[in-house]
Amino acid sequence: LLSKFAGGLGNDWTNVRALGSYIKGTNGKSQGVVPFLKVVNDTAVAVNQGGKRKGAVCAYLETWHLDIEEFLELRKNTGDDRRRTHDMNTANWIPDLFMKRVMDGGEWTLFSPSNCPDLHDKFGKAFEEAYSAYEAKADRGEIKLFKRMPAKDLWRKMLSMLFETGHPWITFKDACNVRSPQQHVGVVHSSNLCTEITLNTNETEIAVCNLGSVNLVQHLKDGAIDQVKLKKTVATAMRMLDNVIDINYYAVKKARDSNLRHRPVGLGIMGFQDCLYQLKLPYASKEAIEFADRSMEAVCYHAYFASTELAAERGRYSSYPGSLWDRGILPQDSLKLLAEQRGGGQGEGPQSSRYLEVDMSEAMDWGLLRAHIAEHGMRNSNCVAIAPTATISNIIGVDASIEPSFGNLSVKSNLSGEFTIVNEYLVRDLKALGLWDDVMVMDLKHYEGSLRPIDRVPESLKALYATAFEIEAPWLVEAASRRQKWIDQAQSLNIYIAGASGKKLDDTYKLAWLRGLKTTYYLRTKAATHVEMSTVTKSRHNAVSSGGALGGAA
């Protein structure tokens, strides 16, 4: 029903007991989680989204589950096909303790949830204490079914499967929970299909989030964010999203109950790359990271302000008392909670430890907003989430979401046929330099939209119009970290890596964790052996150069 009437689903499977665990009622042994996931996979194929598009599901499993190694291989094209799910997405739900063990070269123990039923509901230091106690029990022989391995070996397998199959995605349990405004009434057990929603789920509530996106490029004025226009747009959007909660059709009662109780919405952005083009800022630059910070601060500030004004007008959401909002803790303040929970001694900044390094700069009058929330409360438990916006950004003609441009020349197809899209900003700049001619068109086609091999294009334009695979991945992570500071949910962050290697993947995803990201989405890779012909006789590898490395991130 959810698939038929709603769309994408995120499922949490950690509570299903592991392969080989004891079944008390029958004195038998469990088949584990994989056969159930096979059923889910086939259901997603059978029941599509209202006859309009394919069913879409993402299954999440926590890293200590005894079936995790088999879970990692679900999307492989080899092996027993009855234990593969080729049509379903998968994601790792990773606790901080695992990342610490990876960083520090520690051991990791896998359990069946039937032997440690409370682990999935715990996070932060409470999880670490409970997990260590279960490890001690296993050492004493009180838990028979477990497996121990170096944490780095499991991490390496996670990254190699991610590279090989694109799954499971890397998402971080503790950042999602410790920073959740709603931790007083439940636990975030997984994210959704696109990894931007971080809402509580339990046996009586199915989390639902209504999404909307602001076209950011329409809110630039004189080289900066037009705060007056943005505030008006966001206030309208938040009112509309709040209305949708009441007038929506809910396929199942648990979804309706959850949404009416907490009233979460997810306002995001699209056209981020278009803004950078307008401002003449290369994606791989400190100025672009600063713009990511300031623009998201503005969107979040106005979204939270709109929600508290709606609360003054329409009343607070029912589970508001005891929330982080109620306690005067805004999303950026919750980074301090995350630093405390992760521990590891002090890093360089006030909100940093050895395991968390986040920039804490701010530019707006948050004191005013705090006072408003203290007086009126909030209408919505959650307000901001950055969705992929693939279809709607196509319709209005901007780059999707927070994505870097995939190519300056691309072909898009829909039911009407195929369309060749050329980057209009690039055409404008090339025309201004007298470089837009038939030869340039042929060169762009030949080099698949990349300017890098075209000698007559100035370096400044090559930097500004660098495509996703020409930007070093740490720049994407750093910009996302600045956004995540302000966002009360998460963001669909695709990672692009050209010339992917184990070291690049390792560095990139460890950096994502250190910078406080809650989730990551698809990993998109391009082999260094992808050869581009620059003349008839000469070829060059499409590996990203190591130049322009980012301070503290390269």
Side-chain angles (χ1 to χ4, degrees), residues 6 18 31 39 45 60 65 85 94 132 139 179 190-191 196 224 239 340 385 431 461 464 496 514 530:
Q31 285 289 301
V39 173
V45 175
Y60 286 75
H65 197 290
T85 57
I94 302 175
S132 299
D139 291 341
R179 298 190 62 202
S190 72
S191 186
E196 83 275 22
R239 181 174 291 271
E340 286 168 4
K431 280 181 177 175
L461 279 199
L464 181 59
Y496 295 88
L514 283 170
H530 178 88

mmCIF file with all atom_site columns, all heavy atoms in Angstrom, residues 6 18 31 39 45 60 65 85 94 132 139 179 190-191 196 224 239 340 385 431 461 464 496 514 530:
data_model
loop_
_atom_site.group_PDB
_atom_site.id
_atom_site.type_symbol
_atom_site.label_atom_id
_atom_site.label_alt_id
_atom_site.label_comp_id
_atom_site.label_asym_id
_atom_site.label_entity_id
_atom_site.label_seq_id
_atom_site.pdbx_PDB_ins_code
_atom_site.Cartn_x
_atom_site.Cartn_y
_atom_site.Cartn_z
_atom_site.occupancy
_atom_site.B_iso_or_equiv
_atom_site.pdbx_formal_charge
_atom_site.auth_seq_id
_atom_site.auth_comp_id
_atom_site.auth_asym_id
_atom_site.auth_atom_id
_atom_site.pdbx_PDB_model_num
ATOM 1   N N   . ALA A 1 6   ? 2.398  5.990   -2.169  1.00 0.00 ? 6   ALA A N   1
ATOM 2   C CA  . ALA A 1 6   ? 3.297  6.992   -1.588  1.00 0.00 ? 6   ALA A CA  1
ATOM 3   C C   . ALA A 1 6   ? 4.603  7.174   -2.347  1.00 0.00 ? 6   ALA A C   1
ATOM 4   O O   . ALA A 1 6   ? 5.001  8.278   -2.653  1.00 0.00 ? 6   ALA A O   1
ATOM 5   C CB  . ALA A 1 6   ? 3.592  6.645   -0.134  1.00 0.00 ? 6   ALA A CB  1
ATOM 6   N N   . ALA A 1 18  ? 19.525 -13.315 13.406  1.00 0.00 ? 18  ALA A N   1
ATOM 7   C CA  . ALA A 1 18  ? 20.536 -13.696 12.417  1.00 0.00 ? 18  ALA A CA  1
ATOM 8   C C   . ALA A 1 18  ? 20.438 -15.166 12.022  1.00 0.00 ? 18  ALA A C   1
ATOM 9   O O   . ALA A 1 18  ? 19.818 -15.981 12.707  1.00 0.00 ? 18  ALA A O   1
ATOM 10  C CB  . ALA A 1 18  ? 21.929 -13.391 12.965  1.00 0.00 ? 18  ALA A CB  1
ATOM 11  N N   . GLN A 1 31  ? 16.601 -18.651 9.586   1.00 0.00 ? 31  GLN A N   1
ATOM 12  C CA  . GLN A 1 31  ? 17.191 -18.474 8.249   1.00 0.00 ? 31  GLN A CA  1
ATOM 13  C C   . GLN A 1 31  ? 17.871 -17.115 8.093   1.00 0.00 ? 31  GLN A C   1
ATOM 14  O O   . GLN A 1 31  ? 18.443 -16.827 7.052   1.00 0.00 ? 31  GLN A O   1
ATOM 15  C CB  . GLN A 1 31  ? 16.086 -18.613 7.189   1.00 0.00 ? 31  GLN A CB  1
ATOM 16  C CG  . GLN A 1 31  ? 15.648 -20.045 6.952   1.00 0.00 ? 31  GLN A CG  1
ATOM 17  C CD  . GLN A 1 31  ? 16.716 -20.841 6.219   1.00 0.00 ? 31  GLN A CD  1
ATOM 18  O OE1 . GLN A 1 31  ? 17.117 -20.505 5.120   1.00 0.00 ? 31  GLN A OE1 1
ATOM 19  N NE2 . GLN A 1 31  ? 17.193 -21.897 6.862   1.00 0.00 ? 31  GLN A NE2 1
ATOM 20  N N   . VAL A 1 39  ? 12.141 -11.325 -0.332  1.00 0.00 ? 39  VAL A N   1
ATOM 21  C CA  . VAL A 1 39  ? 10.690 -11.134 -0.474  1.00 0.00 ? 39  VAL A CA  1
ATOM 22  C C   . VAL A 1 39  ? 10.384 -9.648  -0.709  1.00 0.00 ? 39  VAL A C   1
ATOM 23  O O   . VAL A 1 39  ? 9.578  -9.292  -1.569  1.00 0.00 ? 39  VAL A O   1
ATOM 24  C CB  . VAL A 1 39  ? 9.944  -11.646 0.782   1.00 0.00 ? 39  VAL A CB  1
ATOM 25  C CG1 . VAL A 1 39  ? 8.462  -11.288 0.713   1.00 0.00 ? 39  VAL A CG1 1
ATOM 26  C CG2 . VAL A 1 39  ? 10.113 -13.152 0.921   1.00 0.00 ? 39  VAL A CG2 1
ATOM 27  N N   . VAL A 1 45  ? 9.261  -5.100  -6.936  1.00 0.00 ? 45  VAL A N   1
ATOM 28  C CA  . VAL A 1 45  ? 9.135  -5.294  -8.384  1.00 0.00 ? 45  VAL A CA  1
ATOM 29  C C   . VAL A 1 45  ? 7.671  -5.467  -8.762  1.00 0.00 ? 45  VAL A C   1
ATOM 30  O O   . VAL A 1 45  ? 7.187  -4.923  -9.758  1.00 0.00 ? 45  VAL A O   1
ATOM 31  C CB  . VAL A 1 45  ? 9.953  -6.520  -8.846  1.00 0.00 ? 45  VAL A CB  1
ATOM 32  C CG1 . VAL A 1 45  ? 9.716  -6.799  -10.326 1.00 0.00 ? 45  VAL A CG1 1
ATOM 33  C CG2 . VAL A 1 45  ? 11.434 -6.288  -8.578  1.00 0.00 ? 45  VAL A CG2 1
ATOM 34  N N   . TYR A 1 60  ? 17.899 -1.155  5.502   1.00 0.00 ? 60  TYR A N   1
ATOM 35  C CA  . TYR A 1 60  ? 19.010 -0.741  6.376   1.00 0.00 ? 60  TYR A CA  1
ATOM 36  C C   . TYR A 1 60  ? 19.332 -1.850  7.371   1.00 0.00 ? 60  TYR A C   1
ATOM 37  O O   . TYR A 1 60  ? 18.427 -2.512  7.896   1.00 0.00 ? 60  TYR A O   1
ATOM 38  C CB  . TYR A 1 60  ? 18.618 0.511   7.175   1.00 0.00 ? 60  TYR A CB  1
ATOM 39  C CG  . TYR A 1 60  ? 18.598 1.786   6.359   1.00 0.00 ? 60  TYR A CG  1
ATOM 40  C CD1 . TYR A 1 60  ? 17.557 2.052   5.467   1.00 0.00 ? 60  TYR A CD1 1
ATOM 41  C CD2 . TYR A 1 60  ? 19.615 2.733   6.485   1.00 0.00 ? 60  TYR A CD2 1
ATOM 42  C CE1 . TYR A 1 60  ? 17.539 3.221   4.717   1.00 0.00 ? 60  TYR A CE1 1
ATOM 43  C CE2 . TYR A 1 60  ? 19.594 3.914   5.741   1.00 0.00 ? 60  TYR A CE2 1
ATOM 44  C CZ  . TYR A 1 60  ? 18.555 4.146   4.866   1.00 0.00 ? 60  TYR A CZ  1
ATOM 45  O OH  . TYR A 1 60  ? 18.539 5.312   4.134   1.00 0.00 ? 60  TYR A OH  1
ATOM 46  N N   . HIS A 1 65  ? 25.195 -6.498  13.203  1.00 0.00 ? 65  HIS A N   1
ATOM 47  C CA  . HIS A 1 65  ? 24.324 -7.650  12.929  1.00 0.00 ? 65  HIS A CA  1
ATOM 48  C C   . HIS A 1 65  ? 25.134 -8.802  12.319  1.00 0.00 ? 65  HIS A C   1
ATOM 49  O O   . HIS A 1 65  ? 25.939 -8.589  11.425  1.00 0.00 ? 65  HIS A O   1
ATOM 50  C CB  . HIS A 1 65  ? 23.193 -7.234  11.975  1.00 0.00 ? 65  HIS A CB  1
ATOM 51  C CG  . HIS A 1 65  ? 22.047 -8.185  11.954  1.00 0.00 ? 65  HIS A CG  1
ATOM 52  N ND1 . HIS A 1 65  ? 22.135 -9.447  11.407  1.00 0.00 ? 65  HIS A ND1 1
ATOM 53  C CD2 . HIS A 1 65  ? 20.773 -8.055  12.409  1.00 0.00 ? 65  HIS A CD2 1
ATOM 54  C CE1 . HIS A 1 65  ? 20.960 -10.056 11.533  1.00 0.00 ? 65  HIS A CE1 1
ATOM 55  N NE2 . HIS A 1 65  ? 20.113 -9.229  12.140  1.00 0.00 ? 65  HIS A NE2 1
ATOM 56  N N   . THR A 1 85  ? 19.521 -9.450  -4.084  1.00 0.00 ? 85  THR A N   1
ATOM 57  C CA  . THR A 1 85  ? 18.383 -8.542  -4.297  1.00 0.00 ? 85  THR A CA  1
ATOM 58  C C   . THR A 1 85  ? 18.817 -7.492  -5.326  1.00 0.00 ? 85  THR A C   1
ATOM 59  O O   . THR A 1 85  ? 19.318 -6.439  -4.968  1.00 0.00 ? 85  THR A O   1
ATOM 60  C CB  . THR A 1 85  ? 17.969 -7.850  -2.980  1.00 0.00 ? 85  THR A CB  1
ATOM 61  O OG1 . THR A 1 85  ? 19.098 -7.154  -2.442  1.00 0.00 ? 85  THR A OG1 1
ATOM 62  C CG2 . THR A 1 85  ? 17.470 -8.860  -1.957  1.00 0.00 ? 85  THR A CG2 1
ATOM 63  N N   . ILE A 1 94  ? 25.534 2.728   10.595  1.00 0.00 ? 94  ILE A N   1
ATOM 64  C CA  . ILE A 1 94  ? 26.832 2.540   11.258  1.00 0.00 ? 94  ILE A CA  1
ATOM 65  C C   . ILE A 1 94  ? 26.927 3.327   12.564  1.00 0.00 ? 94  ILE A C   1
ATOM 66  O O   . ILE A 1 94  ? 26.824 4.556   12.566  1.00 0.00 ? 94  ILE A O   1
ATOM 67  C CB  . ILE A 1 94  ? 27.968 2.988   10.316  1.00 0.00 ? 94  ILE A CB  1
ATOM 68  C CG1 . ILE A 1 94  ? 27.914 2.205   9.005   1.00 0.00 ? 94  ILE A CG1 1
ATOM 69  C CG2 . ILE A 1 94  ? 29.329 2.829   10.988  1.00 0.00 ? 94  ILE A CG2 1
ATOM 70  C CD1 . ILE A 1 94  ? 28.921 2.661   7.967   1.00 0.00 ? 94  ILE A CD1 1
ATOM 71  N N   . SER A 1 132 ? 29.809 -3.064  24.728  1.00 0.00 ? 132 SER A N   1
ATOM 72  C CA  . SER A 1 132 ? 30.999 -3.597  25.417  1.00 0.00 ? 132 SER A CA  1
ATOM 73  C C   . SER A 1 132 ? 30.606 -4.677  26.416  1.00 0.00 ? 132 SER A C   1
ATOM 74  O O   . SER A 1 132 ? 31.331 -5.669  26.597  1.00 0.00 ? 132 SER A O   1
ATOM 75  C CB  . SER A 1 132 ? 31.751 -2.465  26.133  1.00 0.00 ? 132 SER A CB  1
ATOM 76  O OG  . SER A 1 132 ? 32.176 -1.497  25.199  1.00 0.00 ? 132 SER A OG  1
ATOM 77  N N   . ASP A 1 139 ? 32.867 -13.140 25.632  1.00 0.00 ? 139 ASP A N   1
ATOM 78  C CA  . ASP A 1 139 ? 34.181 -13.615 26.095  1.00 0.00 ? 139 ASP A CA  1
ATOM 79  C C   . ASP A 1 139 ? 34.039 -14.639 27.218  1.00 0.00 ? 139 ASP A C   1
ATOM 80  O O   . ASP A 1 139 ? 34.840 -15.574 27.330  1.00 0.00 ? 139 ASP A O   1
ATOM 81  C CB  . ASP A 1 139 ? 35.028 -12.435 26.588  1.00 0.00 ? 139 ASP A CB  1
ATOM 82  C CG  . ASP A 1 139 ? 35.450 -11.511 25.457  1.00 0.00 ? 139 ASP A CG  1
ATOM 83  O OD1 . ASP A 1 139 ? 35.412 -11.954 24.295  1.00 0.00 ? 139 ASP A OD1 1
ATOM 84  O OD2 . ASP A 1 139 ? 35.797 -10.339 25.728  1.00 0.00 ? 139 ASP A OD2 1
ATOM 85  N N   . ARG A 1 179 ? 21.669 14.132  17.268  1.00 0.00 ? 179 ARG A N   1
ATOM 86  C CA  . ARG A 1 179 ? 21.259 15.466  16.831  1.00 0.00 ? 179 ARG A CA  1
ATOM 87  C C   . ARG A 1 179 ? 19.764 15.546  16.499  1.00 0.00 ? 179 ARG A C   1
ATOM 88  O O   . ARG A 1 179 ? 19.287 16.578  16.037  1.00 0.00 ? 179 ARG A O   1
ATOM 89  C CB  . ARG A 1 179 ? 22.088 15.899  15.612  1.00 0.00 ? 179 ARG A CB  1
ATOM 90  C CG  . ARG A 1 179 ? 23.588 16.005  15.896  1.00 0.00 ? 179 ARG A CG  1
ATOM 91  C CD  . ARG A 1 179 ? 24.320 16.663  14.750  1.00 0.00 ? 179 ARG A CD  1
ATOM 92  N NE  . ARG A 1 179 ? 23.846 18.025  14.551  1.00 0.00 ? 179 ARG A NE  1
ATOM 93  C CZ  . ARG A 1 179 ? 23.975 18.707  13.411  1.00 0.00 ? 179 ARG A CZ  1
ATOM 94  N NH1 . ARG A 1 179 ? 24.562 18.132  12.380  1.00 0.00 ? 179 ARG A NH1 1
ATOM 95  N NH2 . ARG A 1 179 ? 23.506 19.927  13.309  1.00 0.00 ? 179 ARG A NH2 1
ATOM 96  N N   . SER A 1 190 ? 16.562 4.097   11.012  1.00 0.00 ? 190 SER A N   1
ATOM 97  C CA  . SER A 1 190 ? 17.092 4.049   9.650   1.00 0.00 ? 190 SER A CA  1
ATOM 98  C C   . SER A 1 190 ? 16.752 5.371   8.993   1.00 0.00 ? 190 SER A C   1
ATOM 99  O O   . SER A 1 190 ? 16.029 6.187   9.568   1.00 0.00 ? 190 SER A O   1
ATOM 100 C CB  . SER A 1 190 ? 16.448 2.909   8.843   1.00 0.00 ? 190 SER A CB  1
ATOM 101 O OG  . SER A 1 190 ? 15.097 3.235   8.535   1.00 0.00 ? 190 SER A OG  1
ATOM 102 N N   . SER A 1 191 ? 17.267 5.580   7.798   1.00 0.00 ? 191 SER A N   1
ATOM 103 C CA  . SER A 1 191 ? 16.828 6.729   7.006   1.00 0.00 ? 191 SER A CA  1
ATOM 104 C C   . SER A 1 191 ? 15.812 6.223   5.981   1.00 0.00 ? 191 SER A C   1
ATOM 105 O O   . SER A 1 191 ? 15.263 5.127   6.136   1.00 0.00 ? 191 SER A O   1
ATOM 106 C CB  . SER A 1 191 ? 18.024 7.406   6.336   1.00 0.00 ? 191 SER A CB  1
ATOM 107 O OG  . SER A 1 191 ? 17.624 8.593   5.673   1.00 0.00 ? 191 SER A OG  1
ATOM 108 N N   . GLU A 1 196 ? 17.845 11.296  3.125   1.00 0.00 ? 196 GLU A N   1
ATOM 109 C CA  . GLU A 1 196 ? 17.787 12.662  3.656   1.00 0.00 ? 196 GLU A CA  1
ATOM 110 C C   . GLU A 1 196 ? 16.823 12.800  4.838   1.00 0.00 ? 196 GLU A C   1
ATOM 111 O O   . GLU A 1 196 ? 16.803 13.831  5.505   1.00 0.00 ? 196 GLU A O   1
ATOM 112 C CB  . GLU A 1 196 ? 17.414 13.671  2.556   1.00 0.00 ? 196 GLU A CB  1
ATOM 113 C CG  . GLU A 1 196 ? 15.941 13.834  2.257   1.00 0.00 ? 196 GLU A CG  1
ATOM 114 C CD  . GLU A 1 196 ? 15.398 12.802  1.273   1.00 0.00 ? 196 GLU A CD  1
ATOM 115 O OE1 . GLU A 1 196 ? 16.017 11.726  1.144   1.00 0.00 ? 196 GLU A OE1 1
ATOM 116 O OE2 . GLU A 1 196 ? 14.366 13.054  0.637   1.00 0.00 ? 196 GLU A OE2 1
ATOM 117 N N   . ALA A 1 224 ? 24.658 38.009  -3.817  1.00 0.00 ? 224 ALA A N   1
ATOM 118 C CA  . ALA A 1 224 ? 24.435 37.465  -2.471  1.00 0.00 ? 224 ALA A CA  1
ATOM 119 C C   . ALA A 1 224 ? 23.006 36.924  -2.372  1.00 0.00 ? 224 ALA A C   1
ATOM 120 O O   . ALA A 1 224 ? 22.186 37.139  -3.263  1.00 0.00 ? 224 ALA A O   1
ATOM 121 C CB  . ALA A 1 224 ? 24.669 38.542  -1.412  1.00 0.00 ? 224 ALA A CB  1
ATOM 122 N N   . ARG A 1 239 ? 4.268  26.866  5.015   1.00 0.00 ? 239 ARG A N   1
ATOM 123 C CA  . ARG A 1 239 ? 2.819  26.865  5.218   1.00 0.00 ? 239 ARG A CA  1
ATOM 124 C C   . ARG A 1 239 ? 2.163  25.803  4.330   1.00 0.00 ? 239 ARG A C   1
ATOM 125 O O   . ARG A 1 239 ? 1.292  25.053  4.772   1.00 0.00 ? 239 ARG A O   1
ATOM 126 C CB  . ARG A 1 239 ? 2.252  28.260  4.905   1.00 0.00 ? 239 ARG A CB  1
ATOM 127 C CG  . ARG A 1 239 ? 0.746  28.391  5.113   1.00 0.00 ? 239 ARG A CG  1
ATOM 128 C CD  . ARG A 1 239 ? 0.303  29.838  4.909   1.00 0.00 ? 239 ARG A CD  1
ATOM 129 N NE  . ARG A 1 239 ? 0.787  30.695  5.976   1.00 0.00 ? 239 ARG A NE  1
ATOM 130 C CZ  . ARG A 1 239 ? 0.125  30.913  7.121   1.00 0.00 ? 239 ARG A CZ  1
ATOM 131 N NH1 . ARG A 1 239 ? -1.039 30.334  7.330   1.00 0.00 ? 239 ARG A NH1 1
ATOM 132 N NH2 . ARG A 1 239 ? 0.626  31.708  8.038   1.00 0.00 ? 239 ARG A NH2 1
ATOM 133 N N   . GLU A 1 340 ? 30.339 15.542  22.529  1.00 0.00 ? 340 GLU A N   1
ATOM 134 C CA  . GLU A 1 340 ? 30.382 14.949  23.880  1.00 0.00 ? 340 GLU A CA  1
ATOM 135 C C   . GLU A 1 340 ? 30.191 13.441  23.815  1.00 0.00 ? 340 GLU A C   1
ATOM 136 O O   . GLU A 1 340 ? 30.884 12.681  24.496  1.00 0.00 ? 340 GLU A O   1
ATOM 137 C CB  . GLU A 1 340 ? 29.279 15.565  24.750  1.00 0.00 ? 340 GLU A CB  1
ATOM 138 C CG  . GLU A 1 340 ? 29.570 16.995  25.192  1.00 0.00 ? 340 GLU A CG  1
ATOM 139 C CD  . GLU A 1 340 ? 28.329 17.668  25.792  1.00 0.00 ? 340 GLU A CD  1
ATOM 140 O OE1 . GLU A 1 340 ? 27.273 16.983  25.924  1.00 0.00 ? 340 GLU A OE1 1
ATOM 141 O OE2 . GLU A 1 340 ? 28.405 18.868  26.107  1.00 0.00 ? 340 GLU A OE2 1
ATOM 142 N N   . ALA A 1 385 ? 15.243 19.171  4.983   1.00 0.00 ? 385 ALA A N   1
ATOM 143 C CA  . ALA A 1 385 ? 15.922 17.985  4.445   1.00 0.00 ? 385 ALA A CA  1
ATOM 144 C C   . ALA A 1 385 ? 16.184 18.250  2.969   1.00 0.00 ? 385 ALA A C   1
ATOM 145 O O   . ALA A 1 385 ? 15.325 18.802  2.285   1.00 0.00 ? 385 ALA A O   1
ATOM 146 C CB  . ALA A 1 385 ? 15.052 16.739  4.610   1.00 0.00 ? 385 ALA A CB  1
ATOM 147 N N   . LYS A 1 431 ? 30.795 32.657  -25.314 1.00 0.00 ? 431 LYS A N   1
ATOM 148 C CA  . LYS A 1 431 ? 30.435 33.694  -26.289 1.00 0.00 ? 431 LYS A CA  1
ATOM 149 C C   . LYS A 1 431 ? 31.109 35.019  -25.945 1.00 0.00 ? 431 LYS A C   1
ATOM 150 O O   . LYS A 1 431 ? 31.604 35.728  -26.821 1.00 0.00 ? 431 LYS A O   1
ATOM 151 C CB  . LYS A 1 431 ? 28.907 33.875  -26.331 1.00 0.00 ? 431 LYS A CB  1
ATOM 152 C CG  . LYS A 1 431 ? 28.173 32.832  -27.163 1.00 0.00 ? 431 LYS A CG  1
ATOM 153 C CD  . LYS A 1 431 ? 26.669 33.102  -27.171 1.00 0.00 ? 431 LYS A CD  1
ATOM 154 C CE  . LYS A 1 431 ? 25.956 32.091  -28.072 1.00 0.00 ? 431 LYS A CE  1
ATOM 155 N NZ  . LYS A 1 431 ? 24.481 32.257  -28.012 1.00 0.00 ? 431 LYS A NZ  1
ATOM 156 N N   . LEU A 1 461 ? 37.868 29.291  -16.493 1.00 0.00 ? 461 LEU A N   1
ATOM 157 C CA  . LEU A 1 461 ? 36.614 28.673  -16.940 1.00 0.00 ? 461 LEU A CA  1
ATOM 158 C C   . LEU A 1 461 ? 36.639 27.165  -16.698 1.00 0.00 ? 461 LEU A C   1
ATOM 159 O O   . LEU A 1 461 ? 35.620 26.565  -16.363 1.00 0.00 ? 461 LEU A O   1
ATOM 160 C CB  . LEU A 1 461 ? 36.368 28.947  -18.425 1.00 0.00 ? 461 LEU A CB  1
ATOM 161 C CG  . LEU A 1 461 ? 35.757 30.300  -18.825 1.00 0.00 ? 461 LEU A CG  1
ATOM 162 C CD1 . LEU A 1 461 ? 35.175 30.218  -20.227 1.00 0.00 ? 461 LEU A CD1 1
ATOM 163 C CD2 . LEU A 1 461 ? 34.693 30.768  -17.865 1.00 0.00 ? 461 LEU A CD2 1
ATOM 164 N N   . LEU A 1 464 ? 35.715 26.777  -13.104 1.00 0.00 ? 464 LEU A N   1
ATOM 165 C CA  . LEU A 1 464 ? 34.309 27.102  -12.836 1.00 0.00 ? 464 LEU A CA  1
ATOM 166 C C   . LEU A 1 464 ? 33.373 26.037  -13.381 1.00 0.00 ? 464 LEU A C   1
ATOM 167 O O   . LEU A 1 464 ? 32.378 25.689  -12.741 1.00 0.00 ? 464 LEU A O   1
ATOM 168 C CB  . LEU A 1 464 ? 33.964 28.471  -13.453 1.00 0.00 ? 464 LEU A CB  1
ATOM 169 C CG  . LEU A 1 464 ? 32.531 28.972  -13.251 1.00 0.00 ? 464 LEU A CG  1
ATOM 170 C CD1 . LEU A 1 464 ? 32.203 29.085  -11.762 1.00 0.00 ? 464 LEU A CD1 1
ATOM 171 C CD2 . LEU A 1 464 ? 32.325 30.311  -13.944 1.00 0.00 ? 464 LEU A CD2 1
ATOM 172 N N   . TYR A 1 496 ? 31.162 11.623  -5.783  1.00 0.00 ? 496 TYR A N   1
ATOM 173 C CA  . TYR A 1 496 ? 31.764 11.342  -7.094  1.00 0.00 ? 496 TYR A CA  1
ATOM 174 C C   . TYR A 1 496 ? 33.268 11.168  -6.920  1.00 0.00 ? 496 TYR A C   1
ATOM 175 O O   . TYR A 1 496 ? 33.939 12.035  -6.356  1.00 0.00 ? 496 TYR A O   1
ATOM 176 C CB  . TYR A 1 496 ? 31.508 12.507  -8.059  1.00 0.00 ? 496 TYR A CB  1
ATOM 177 C CG  . TYR A 1 496 ? 30.054 12.706  -8.403  1.00 0.00 ? 496 TYR A CG  1
ATOM 178 C CD1 . TYR A 1 496 ? 29.236 13.511  -7.609  1.00 0.00 ? 496 TYR A CD1 1
ATOM 179 C CD2 . TYR A 1 496 ? 29.488 12.083  -9.515  1.00 0.00 ? 496 TYR A CD2 1
ATOM 180 C CE1 . TYR A 1 496 ? 27.897 13.693  -7.917  1.00 0.00 ? 496 TYR A CE1 1
ATOM 181 C CE2 . TYR A 1 496 ? 28.140 12.263  -9.829  1.00 0.00 ? 496 TYR A CE2 1
ATOM 182 C CZ  . TYR A 1 496 ? 27.360 13.067  -9.023  1.00 0.00 ? 496 TYR A CZ  1
ATOM 183 O OH  . TYR A 1 496 ? 26.033 13.242  -9.324  1.00 0.00 ? 496 TYR A OH  1
ATOM 184 N N   . LEU A 1 514 ? 34.043 12.251  10.227  1.00 0.00 ? 514 LEU A N   1
ATOM 185 C CA  . LEU A 1 514 ? 34.706 13.268  11.063  1.00 0.00 ? 514 LEU A CA  1
ATOM 186 C C   . LEU A 1 514 ? 34.043 14.631  10.944  1.00 0.00 ? 514 LEU A C   1
ATOM 187 O O   . LEU A 1 514 ? 34.031 15.414  11.896  1.00 0.00 ? 514 LEU A O   1
ATOM 188 C CB  . LEU A 1 514 ? 36.183 13.401  10.666  1.00 0.00 ? 514 LEU A CB  1
ATOM 189 C CG  . LEU A 1 514 ? 37.129 12.308  11.162  1.00 0.00 ? 514 LEU A CG  1
ATOM 190 C CD1 . LEU A 1 514 ? 38.481 12.442  10.487  1.00 0.00 ? 514 LEU A CD1 1
ATOM 191 C CD2 . LEU A 1 514 ? 37.281 12.381  12.676  1.00 0.00 ? 514 LEU A CD2 1
ATOM 192 N N   . HIS A 1 530 ? 39.637 5.048   -17.820 1.00 0.00 ? 530 HIS A N   1
ATOM 193 C CA  . HIS A 1 530 ? 38.733 5.589   -18.843 1.00 0.00 ? 530 HIS A CA  1
ATOM 194 C C   . HIS A 1 530 ? 39.539 6.580   -19.682 1.00 0.00 ? 530 HIS A C   1
ATOM 195 O O   . HIS A 1 530 ? 39.880 7.653   -19.239 1.00 0.00 ? 530 HIS A O   1
ATOM 196 C CB  . HIS A 1 530 ? 37.554 6.284   -18.170 1.00 0.00 ? 530 HIS A CB  1
ATOM 197 C CG  . HIS A 1 530 ? 36.605 6.909   -19.145 1.00 0.00 ? 530 HIS A CG  1
ATOM 198 N ND1 . HIS A 1 530 ? 35.549 6.227   -19.697 1.00 0.00 ? 530 HIS A ND1 1
ATOM 199 C CD2 . HIS A 1 530 ? 36.570 8.157   -19.688 1.00 0.00 ? 530 HIS A CD2 1
ATOM 200 C CE1 . HIS A 1 530 ? 34.892 7.031   -20.510 1.00 0.00 ? 530 HIS A CE1 1
ATOM 201 N NE2 . HIS A 1 530 ? 35.488 8.203   -20.531 1.00 0.00 ? 530 HIS A NE2 1
#
